[in-house]
Amino acid sequence: MAGAGQTDTRLVESETNQTDAVAAVAVGLSAVLFALAIAAMFERISLTGTIVGVQTVTLLGGLLTALGVTVIAFGVGSRFGYVETNPDPSAGLIAGFGAAIPWVVIGGSVASQTLGLGAGVGVVAGVATGAVAFAATVLPREDLGSTVPLGALLGVTGLVFLTGAIGPTWVWELGWAQQAAITAEFLIPVSTLFSALYGGWASAKAYGGFGARGRHMGAYVLVYVNALSIVAFLFILVAFVVVQGIPGLLNGTEFGFGTGPTTSIFGVSVALPVSVPFLMNGVALFNDFQGVLPAIVGTVWLVIGAVVLAVPLGVGAALFLTEYAERGRFTQVVEVATNGLWSTPSIVFGLFGFAFLIPRFGNGKSLLSGMITLGFMLLPLVVITSREAMLSVPDEYRDASAALGVSKWQTIRSVVLPAALPGVVTGVILGVGRIAGETAPILLTMAGGTFVPGSQTADVIGGFQFTASPPFVANPELLQATSALPYQLYALITAGVGASSNVGNADEFRWATALVLLMVVLSFYAIGIATRYYFRRRLKHT
């Protein structure tokens, strides 16, 4: 008997392992479909082309149908005891609503558009179809409720693609919206994307044997897919800009000793071994290749000026509110005001700079006006994040310092600020990412032209002059209008500037400008992240 029991156990383990393997393959198939949908959405694969020799839409339809059949097979196999699982009596209301939503869309679309019964009948049919899907999910046991409605959804979507009912040239004209339509380029990737999510969720629940473990597995799959989607979207966005911008950026680039411009290092003239005209030139009539150097320099100085203005004021305000001011009506008003200022549209800050700063700085647009305007935009976030960082410092640190007889200011300077610096730097990073790409404030306060000659690059450091009368230090460079990458890109896109032969291919110039702007913003991010990492390491070693 013992031998027979051991044989039965080995058989059950073997079947379970095979079932787990099939479920894992189904989850992997969902991931493949999700990736293909993302690629099709960003036109990295063509719906009219082929993949491994198979038409793209046919391949998507076949994979969706196979996944749907597999999902249903898991549920039916579990219900009749062919697969060892531990399902609950019901899949639950959340699963029911989740399954009902796509069926409402399908039922309504088929009734109103395919059958031509009108919008009213479409609404009724959609609600009725969704109600059936909801009942089919909630009323049966969990293994059937979590698989059959969703497997049917995958199968129907796949068959629609396989039969050509929705093909690469399919278009749905929206009668209620003038000149608007839903095309296959949008519908097929989106349908595949959501179907893959549903299929992955159901397959993960089956892999976990349903029940509590299955629900956890399904939730993990959705969370991981969501996180990976965010990362993938970021990389796809960056990669898309890089691919589009590289030709214009490298136009006229030369490598070799003596090819680059001459610069002075410690008083010695040195010729750089590389020449990138787009980054090293401005715009001039006799330039072989035009560039955006003045706009790059203007953007960098804008961010530096805004940070120099906002960080001391913001950290100081947060320090007073956290360490000195008593919690009450005043601090609550300041908190509401800072949150409101951070939510204020950038165009409002731009109008403030245009109406208040420009008349006080010679009645003309200037780099200084842009710096101050962006500094005011950055200030609320610095206050908010700095205050939260200081509040997160444990009171035990302050009490221990006070017990040693250290003064309050010394405690703040030596204990609170070092512990809060990583949080403060995080806030500055987030703020710089916003202000570096703003267009409206620059347009109203600083922009002096779309294309600026290289000779007009802002030389802020070399522009300082000492005078015998107040304010004893002057800098005419700060009072000059200049360009910045966001404004230049805005003008290139909206006004069609740059189509002339003087700047070469206009489309390449636009994308190259966008790539440089992205590089500048990411450079500030990298500097901020490195600074935060440095302070965190110092904090750990103290």
Side-chain angles (χ1 to χ4, degrees):
M1 294 296 292
Q6 292 173 356
T7 302
D8 291 342
T9 301
R10 285 195 294 269
L11 288 174
V12 171
E13 289 177 351
S14 176
E15 292 175 359
T16 302
N17 291 335
Q18 292 175 0
T19 302
D20 291 346
V22 175
V25 170
V27 174
L29 181 57
S30 301
V32 171
L33 281 166
F34 188 86
L36 291 175
I38 293 291
M41 193 176 299
F42 284 91
E43 299 181 354
R44 295 300 92 187
I45 60 175
S46 173
L47 295 181
T48 58
T50 61
I51 302 177
V52 295
V54 182
Q55 289 289 331
T56 302
V57 178
T58 302
L59 178 63
L60 294 176
L63 293 178
L64 285 171
T65 304
L67 181 59
V69 172
T70 304
V71 168
I72 293 175
F74 272 119
V76 175
S78 171
R79 183 65 182 87
F80 290 99
Y82 297 113
V83 180
E84 186 179 356
T85 58
N86 186 30
D88 287 344
S90 172
L93 295 177
I94 295 178
F97 282 112
I101 291 174
W103 281 109
V104 169
V105 176
I106 292 175
S109 300
V110 170
S112 61
Q113 299 301 317
T114 305
L115 301 180
L117 301 179
V121 176
V123 171
V124 175
V127 172
T129 307
V132 172
F134 179 84
T137 303
V138 175
L139 297 181
R141 206 170 70 167
E142 183 188 14
D143 45 10
L144 289 179
S146 297
T147 57
V148 174
L150 298 182
L153 171 67
L154 293 166
V156 168
T157 305
L159 290 174
V160 167
F161 294 166
L162 284 174
T163 58
I166 295 180
T169 59
W170 178 87
V171 177
W172 176 12
E173 299 288 348
L174 300 177
W176 47 269
Q178 186 177 5
Q179 296 182 345
I182 297 177
T183 63
E185 287 82 0
F186 170 79
L187 182 64
I188 292 177
V190 170
S191 301
T192 304
L193 184 72
F194 282 99
S195 298
L197 286 176
Y198 278 114
W201 176 72
S203 301
K205 289 191 72 175
Y207 181 79
F210 302 104
R213 184 169 180 267
R215 287 194 297 274
H216 290 161
M217 294 291 291
Y220 287 150
V221 167
L222 292 181
V223 170
Y224 287 142
V225 168
N226 180 62
L228 289 174
S229 300
I230 295 173
V231 175
F233 182 79
L234 173 62
F235 278 102
I236 290 172
L237 176 63
V238 173
F240 186 79
V241 176
V242 169
V243 170
Q244 297 290 335
I246 282 292
L249 179 64
L250 299 181
N251 189 23
T253 299
E254 296 180 353
F255 296 93
F257 291 103
T259 59
T262 301
T263 184
S264 177
I265 301 178
F266 299 110
V268 179
S269 297
V270 178
L272 298 179
V274 61
S275 173
V276 186
F278 192 82
L279 300 180
M280 298 176 174
N281 291 349
V283 174
L285 182 62
F286 298 106
N287 279 355
D288 293 329
F289 302 99
Q290 311 298 345
V292 292
L293 178 62
I296 296 174
V297 175
T299 303
V300 172
W301 278 120
L302 268 176
V303 173
I304 292 175
V307 170
V308 169
L309 172 67
V311 171
L313 290 177
V315 174
L319 192 61
F320 173 77
L321 293 171
T322 306
E323 304 297 328
Y324 290 100
E326 294 184 2
R327 180 70 181 176
R329 189 181 300 275
F330 172 73
T331 55
Q332 291 176 352
V333 170
V334 173
E335 183 176 342
V336 171
T338 51
N339 289 330
L341 280 174
W342 177 241
S343 304
T344 301
S346 60
I347 186 66
V348 177
F349 283 98
L351 288 172
F352 162 77
F354 180 79
F356 184 80
L357 296 177
I358 286 182
R360 287 158 177 80
F361 294 136
N363 235 2
K365 297 180 180 180
S366 64
L367 178 60
L368 183 60
S369 298
M371 287 179 174
I372 296 175
T373 302
L374 294 184
F376 284 139
M377 286 186 60
L378 179 60
L379 182 60
L381 184 64
V382 175
V383 174
I384 294 169
T385 55
S386 300
R387 188 163 179 263
E388 292 298 325
M390 294 175 191
L391 289 173
S392 66
V393 178
D395 289 335
E396 288 80 1
Y397 290 9
R398 300 176 176 86
D399 296 338
S401 180
L404 295 175
V406 179
S407 67
K408 188 176 183 65
W409 169 242
Q410 288 176 325
T411 298
I412 293 171
R413 186 185 62 187
S414 304
V415 177
V416 177
L417 281 179
L421 268 178
V424 174
V425 173
T426 300
V428 175
I429 294 172
L430 295 174
V432 166
R434 177 187 176 185
I435 65 172
E438 287 292 346
T439 301
I442 298 173
L443 172 66
L444 293 172
T445 61
M446 191 198 76
T450 306
F451 294 110
V452 180
S455 59
Q456 295 184 15
T457 300
D459 183 14
V460 175
I461 296 178
F464 282 102
Q465 302 174 0
F466 296 95
T467 61
S469 58
F472 304 110
V473 178
N475 193 333
E477 292 290 326
L478 291 175
L479 299 179
Q480 298 296 322
T482 185
S483 185
L485 289 168
Y487 168 72
Q488 182 158 313
L489 184 60
Y490 159 79
L492 287 168
I493 294 172
T494 59
V497 179
S500 65
S501 59
N502 189 42
V503 294
N505 186 293
D507 194 53
E508 287 186 357
F509 203 94
R510 296 183 190 113
W511 280 111
T513 305
L515 176 58
V516 173
L517 175 59
L518 183 63
M519 292 167 57
V520 170
V521 173
L522 293 180
S523 298
F524 280 115
Y525 269 120
I527 294 171
I529 291 171
T531 305
R532 182 178 62 186
Y533 178 74
Y534 169 76
F535 284 120
R536 281 182 176 174
R537 286 196 62 184
R538 285 195 57 184
L539 187 61
K540 288 180 180 179
H541 293 301
T542 55

